[in-house]
Amino acid sequence: MGKKKLIAISNMTAPAVGQLDGRRREPRTRRKNPNRAQARMGYTFSAGYGILLVLFGLLPTLYAIFLAFTHEGAFVGLDNFVRVFNDYRFWPAVQHVAVYLVIWLTFQTIFVVLLALIVHAFRARWMSMSTRFVYYIPGALAGASSVMLWLFLLDPSVSPVSGILRALGMDSFVETVSIENLPVIFTIIAFWTGAGGWIVIMYGALNNISQEVMEAARVDGAGAVKTAWYIQLPLLRKWISYMGIMTLAAGTQLFVEPRILSQASKGVVPGDYSLNQLAYLYAFRQNDFNGSAAISLILLVVALGLAAFFVFRGGLFERD
Amino acid sequence: MASQQRRFTRFARTIAVAASATAIIALSACSSGGGGGGDGSDLGFTPAEQVKDSPITVWVDASREPAIEAFQAKYPDIDVNVETYDGNASGSGSFQTKIALFDQAGEGWPDVVFSTQNNDASWASKETNGVQAFAAPVNKGWFDQDFLDGFTPGSLDPLTVDGTVYGLRNDLAQSVFWYDQALFDQFGYEIPTTWEEYEQLSDKLAAEHPGYILGSVGDAFLGMLVYYWGAQAPVFQLDGDTFSSDVSAENSQKMTELLDHMVANGTLTKDSVFSSDFVQKYQGKALGMPGPVWFTGALFQNPDSLNVPAGQIGAGAPLHWEGEEIATGNVGGGTWFASSHTKNLDAVKTMMEFVTSSDEYQVELTGGYPAYADAAEKWIAKQANGGYFVGDFEQTVVDAASQVWSGWGYPSFSAETAYSKIVLPALAAGDTIESVAPEWQQEMENEAQVQGYTVAQ
């Protein structure tokens, strides 16, 4: 959530500057001023998003900040944070989310880039198109419904791939969803639902690399692997770091998958597996909205920090 | 530079506007939350301003919809909005979640709620952040004492906090020992009456008829609510605000050893009774199993489960330790809560009485053992009439209803979560319960602590 907001804020201010510049240069030809018309369009297009962002993004965030430092309306400093840090469920949840993020981020980055390069290398148009379409389908399903599908795949007694599960030593659903398997399971689910969209985006980015550069590489005798390594990958850097940020944003908020698995496994997957679940328990089981806000604020700060890393190391805002 | 400056001012202004808007929201939220408790009235709570003949909103799960339909048929003049929700099943917490939000908003509460969990009174009886407790006390002048006395003794215990009763029980789920008379006859075994006999029988069964079972430990409710509760093991107790769990007490330890022993000899399965594996492996192979009353419909008479033919299943008295009194566990049983915020107390009272005690619903339509004693007798007679059960089914089940061990606690967290988190994965991995018992106790104590209970050492 955190970084989405930051990026959106910078987007919102940008057209405003453009509009001011336009007004200064050509004050009289109002009707026909293309800059002004464009600016108005820009406003219209971004207004819907901007209004919703303020209502459901910015205001709740500010309300959470207010809640995190108060108790029953009175300022209490860091009390809420101390209480959360001392909760026996907090550090295991941090660890679960961290392990999952490391595995998912690595897996996602490597395979999305690899698959995009492969799809891009297809000569036949129909083949490239149909692969992209197939990759994208799972992403069209809503998160919760895809977890339901995985519930069947992961239960050896009904799974169509029960042979594989049993070969890996998982004879029952309880064994499949044991805590040490979960980061990998969540990675597979997340990759299955999310990777398709990113492959399509990467594919678009690859198309943007100018033909001349690619041809020059070919003339110099670079094969597919060398071209990918020295030309395509460096030029994809921005897109990869963008994907990193979005992946982090979604990953730190891990909630739906463990929650549904927890209900389906009747608690074998604990209800406090991830940080977001813990925040949920604080608010709705313990009636402690302040502690819940403190957890979400911690998540926001961590996610912002990680996003900043990607923004600066990935050169996301640099101009070509 | 100038544009930079302007951009910043603009940004700062946005933030300022947003911040003040938030402050207004926060303030209004605070002010609307005022005005709490106070037992000034003759009801034990402060009723909302009454609006005559105003509609009432009822939340039920899908299985309880017939109750409301029957109510509407009998009282067409009362305007009822029915909303179906998950019934708080499997401790989903949706009931508490939604009430927490209404408390925060200061409006929107339903008037009557059915919940499948019977520890909801622990939170619903408490004022939260200055808002009057959601559940209305029923024994402080609102309902007649005669009516309340009509419930099976002990059945309102889970809803009682410091002597005040915060709801009405829909059904009971006492455990008995279910047995398959046909198999017992075929093998020439005696039906066990104590845990000791049960364990001895398991060794005999394992040696002579491997593949047959005497129960399951694959569900947290079986482990906790049938075995440990039935063993009168003090693993989940509440005294005021003090929670205690002792897995090394004598009864706890005896039950742990019994379970580990029977898992090892193969007569207790690790499969959940609701899994397809269980049905495939044990149809026709369940010699007997301790379990709640609702096993009849859920397992034995269910074509998709064990599907035992008529004339085979009987109910034996709950298993107990030799030399101790008969005591049993309880697995669920729903509850009806009335909102203390309702604007139509009369309609709510009429409905609460109807859904818990009327023949139209509790005898004719319900699948569970009614908590209201009068209805329970008629209901059980109806079940026995079908000729499905053998032996003294009727009396055993009625007796068991008032034999539920009262030492078990009803704190605001479920007894099943710690067992699911620690014991079930250990069993699945081939470990014993004994090896994880300290960890399991620690988990329950931790849960109690974060819920605000004092943990007894």
Side-chain angles (χ1 to χ4, degrees):
Chain A
M1 242 352 227
K3 57 244 51 96
K4 261 191 231 159
K5 251 169 249 153
L6 256 206
I7 295 163
I9 290 166
S10 63
N11 282 347
M12 274 164 56
T13 44
V17 175
Q19 187 214 27
L20 287 173
D21 288 346
R23 193 190 295 162
R24 224 178 300 137
R25 255 176 248 138
E26 296 168 67
R28 248 151 245 160
T29 51
R30 283 196 170 178
R31 285 272 154 83
K32 290 178 181 172
N33 182 342
N35 273 343
R36 194 180 163 76
Q38 262 184 4
R40 198 182 300 138
M41 260 315 166
Y43 266 133
T44 316
F45 279 132
S46 56
Y49 181 77
I51 291 166
L52 293 176
L53 179 79
V54 170
L55 281 182
F56 299 107
L58 207 56
L59 286 181
T61 309
L62 292 169
Y63 185 41
I65 295 174
F66 167 77
L67 282 177
F69 292 99
T70 56
H71 184 68
E72 292 183 349
F75 182 74
V76 291
L78 295 175
D79 276 11
N80 292 322
F81 293 90
V82 173
R83 190 171 64 254
V84 168
F85 284 140
N86 288 332
D87 191 315
Y88 81 106
R89 300 167 295 184
F90 181 76
W91 295 108
V94 170
Q95 196 195 336
H96 294 154
V97 173
V99 170
Y100 162 66
L101 273 181
V102 169
I103 296 179
W104 184 31
L105 207 57
T106 322
F107 191 81
Q108 168 118 332
T109 313
I110 293 173
F111 280 91
V112 162
V113 173
L114 196 68
L115 287 170
L117 285 170
I118 291 172
V119 174
H120 192 252
F122 285 147
R123 295 257 173 257
R125 211 178 133 82
W126 65 268
M127 190 148 162
S128 158
M129 269 173 66
S130 43
T131 4
R132 272 178 290 152
F133 179 66
V134 170
Y135 284 157
Y136 191 74
I137 292 176
L141 296 171
S145 57
S146 58
V147 183
M148 298 304 281
L149 187 140
W150 278 90
L151 286 181
F152 288 96
L153 283 172
L154 293 172
D155 186 346
S157 60
V158 289
S159 174
V161 293
S162 60
I164 299 175
L165 292 173
R166 288 185 208 272
L168 291 169
M170 301 168 202
D171 289 319
S172 66
F173 186 56
V174 175
E175 282 178 273
T176 318
V177 298
S178 72
I179 228 129
E180 54 270 25
N181 292 345
L182 288 179
V184 175
I185 289 175
F186 292 146
T187 298
I188 296 173
I189 296 178
F191 185 81
W192 181 77
T193 47
W198 285 112
I199 292 171
V200 173
I201 291 176
M202 291 292 164
Y203 178 86
L206 284 171
N207 275 345
N208 252 351
I209 298 174
S210 87
Q211 277 302 315
E212 285 147 39
V213 178
M214 296 295 283
E215 224 166 81
R218 231 184 338 264
V219 172
D220 285 349
V225 177
K226 279 207 164 149
T227 317
W229 189 254
Y230 291 107
I231 312 284
Q232 290 171 311
L233 268 187
L235 287 172
L236 277 182
R237 192 171 67 134
K238 264 186 198 180
W239 294 100
I240 294 174
S241 58
Y242 176 55
M243 178 171 77
I245 291 172
M246 291 318 221
T247 305
L248 275 170
T252 46
Q253 296 173 71
L254 185 66
F255 182 79
V256 174
E257 292 87 348
R259 175 141 177 92
I260 294 180
L261 274 190
S262 174
Q263 286 189 3
S265 66
K266 300 196 180 71
V268 173
V269 174
D272 47 30
Y273 180 82
S274 78
L275 279 172
N276 233 359
Q277 283 180 290
L278 190 56
Y280 176 84
L281 291 181
Y282 259 85
F284 299 119
R285 282 296 167 83
Q286 293 160 235
N287 262 315
D288 182 352
F289 283 85
N290 305 96
S292 180
I295 297 177
S296 43
L297 213 59
I298 295 167
L299 272 177
L300 177 71
V301 170
V302 171
L304 272 181
L306 289 170
F309 173 81
F310 275 92
V311 167
F312 294 119
R313 296 306 299 262
L316 204 62
F317 294 152
E318 282 168 21
R319 301 210 164 212
D320 288 322
Chain B
M1 201 61 217
S3 84
Q4 192 90 18
Q5 180 75 42
R6 211 168 299 138
R7 193 190 306 181
F8 176 73
T9 343
R10 194 169 276 256
F11 178 71
R13 205 182 303 147
T14 319
I15 293 286
V17 169
S20 49
T22 314
I24 291 165
I25 293 174
L27 284 175
S28 60
C30 289
S31 59
S32 66
D39 287 348
S41 76
D42 52 358
L43 298 176
F45 61 98
T46 314
E49 198 178 317
Q50 296 298 297
V51 179
K52 203 171 175 336
D53 296 333
S54 58
I56 55 173
T57 302
V58 186
W59 286 2
V60 287
D61 63 350
S63 326
R64 248 51 62 165
E65 271 179 306
I68 307 305
E69 283 160 17
F71 177 80
Q72 285 170 313
K74 187 161 180 189
Y75 298 98
D77 295 341
I78 297 177
D79 202 357
V80 181
N81 298 322
V82 190
E83 284 180 29
T84 314
Y85 82 123
D86 70 358
N88 217 17
S90 311
S92 69
S94 46
F95 176 26
Q96 190 183 358
T97 305
K98 288 174 178 167
I99 297 302
L101 287 173
F102 292 135
D103 282 347
Q104 198 83 346
E107 60 178 4
W109 299 279
D111 298 285
V112 175
V113 176
F114 173 83
S115 167
T116 57
Q117 306 295 302
N118 54 27
N119 64 349
D120 281 322
S122 62
W123 61 265
S125 65
K126 292 204 170 63
E127 164 183 318
T128 49
N129 305 326
V131 181
Q132 174 169 280
F134 171 76
V138 295
N139 69 337
K140 295 286 170 187
W142 190 16
F143 287 76
D144 299 335
Q145 195 55 44
D146 278 356
F147 169 73
L148 296 175
D149 287 343
F151 283 86
T152 303
S155 63
L156 298 177
D157 283 358
L159 310 169
T160 309
V161 180
D162 295 334
T164 307
V165 184
Y166 286 94
L168 299 176
R169 197 81 178 273
N170 180 68
D171 58 315
L172 302 180
Q174 66 275 29
S175 293
V176 292
F177 181 71
W178 297 105
Y179 58 86
D180 188 325
Q181 187 68 54
L183 285 177
F184 268 95
D185 289 345
Q186 187 190 330
F187 297 162
Y189 294 155
E190 290 277 308
I191 291 156
T193 57
T194 63
W195 290 116
E196 284 86 353
E197 286 172 15
Y198 176 65
E199 192 173 357
Q200 285 156 14
L201 178 66
S202 81
D203 282 329
K204 224 158 125 187
L205 180 70
E208 296 170 9
H209 303 282
Y212 285 82
I213 53 162
L214 279 166
S216 161
V217 281
D219 290 290
F221 76 84
L222 287 170
M224 284 306 275
L225 308 179
V226 172
Y227 286 109
Y228 282 96
W229 193 337
Q232 307 187 51
V235 292
F236 203 74
Q237 295 190 296
L238 193 66
D239 178 14
D241 268 342
T242 308
F243 174 84
S244 68
S245 174
D246 187 359
V247 299
S248 45
E250 196 196 345
N251 278 358
S252 319
Q253 202 137 27
K254 278 200 293 190
M255 183 44 72
T256 305
E257 279 162 20
L258 178 144
L259 294 177
D260 281 339
H261 181 84
M262 288 179 59
V263 168
N265 73 21
T267 52
L268 279 184
T269 174
K270 295 185 268 187
D271 289 318
S272 157
V273 294
F274 301 118
S275 68
S276 56
D277 267 4
F278 177 81
V279 178
Q280 277 166 25
K281 288 189 209 161
Y282 303 114
Q283 224 178 41
K285 296 211 161 178
L287 178 63
M289 50 202 303
V293 174
W294 50 259
F295 263 13
T296 54
L299 301 185
F300 307 127
Q301 288 175 284
N302 180 353
D304 297 322
S305 186
L306 292 179
N307 197 19
V308 185
Q312 278 182 231
I313 293 289
L319 300 174
H320 58 283
W321 299 112
E322 247 165 48
E324 282 190 11
E325 269 185 44
I326 295 186
T328 191
N330 174 75
V331 190
T335 305
W336 296 90
F337 289 98
S339 166
S340 67
H341 309 288
T342 182
K343 292 187 179 114
N344 193 344
L345 283 165
D346 293 340
V348 167
K349 185 178 176 184
T350 312
M351 171 172 278
M352 293 284 281
E353 288 181 349
F354 177 86
V355 291
T356 52
S357 66
S358 71
D359 288 359
E360 288 94 328
Y361 173 60
Q362 285 291 358
V363 178
E364 297 305 322
L365 298 171
T366 187
Y369 183 92
Y372 198 74
D374 210 28
E377 271 174 40
K378 293 181 197 162
W379 180 85
I380 200 82
K382 199 179 141 208
Q383 306 293 312
N385 261 344
Y388 179 83
F389 298 99
V390 299
D392 199 1
F393 163 79
E394 221 173 311
Q395 198 53 47
T396 310
V397 174
V398 172
D399 287 348
S402 46
Q403 285 164 338
V404 174
W405 182 51
S406 59
W408 200 259
Y410 303 95
S412 60
F413 59 101
S414 162
E416 296 168 43
T417 48
Y419 188 91
S420 295
K421 187 172 170 181
I422 308 288
V423 179
L424 287 184
L427 284 171
D431 292 329
T432 60
I433 300 179
E434 199 185 356
S435 67
V436 293
E439 207 185 323
W440 169 40
Q441 178 177 334
Q442 183 66 49
E443 178 71 21
M444 288 187 273
E445 290 173 351
N446 284 342
E447 282 185 283
Q449 205 164 16
V450 296
Q451 296 291 329
Y453 294 101
T454 315
V455 175
Q457 292 310 316

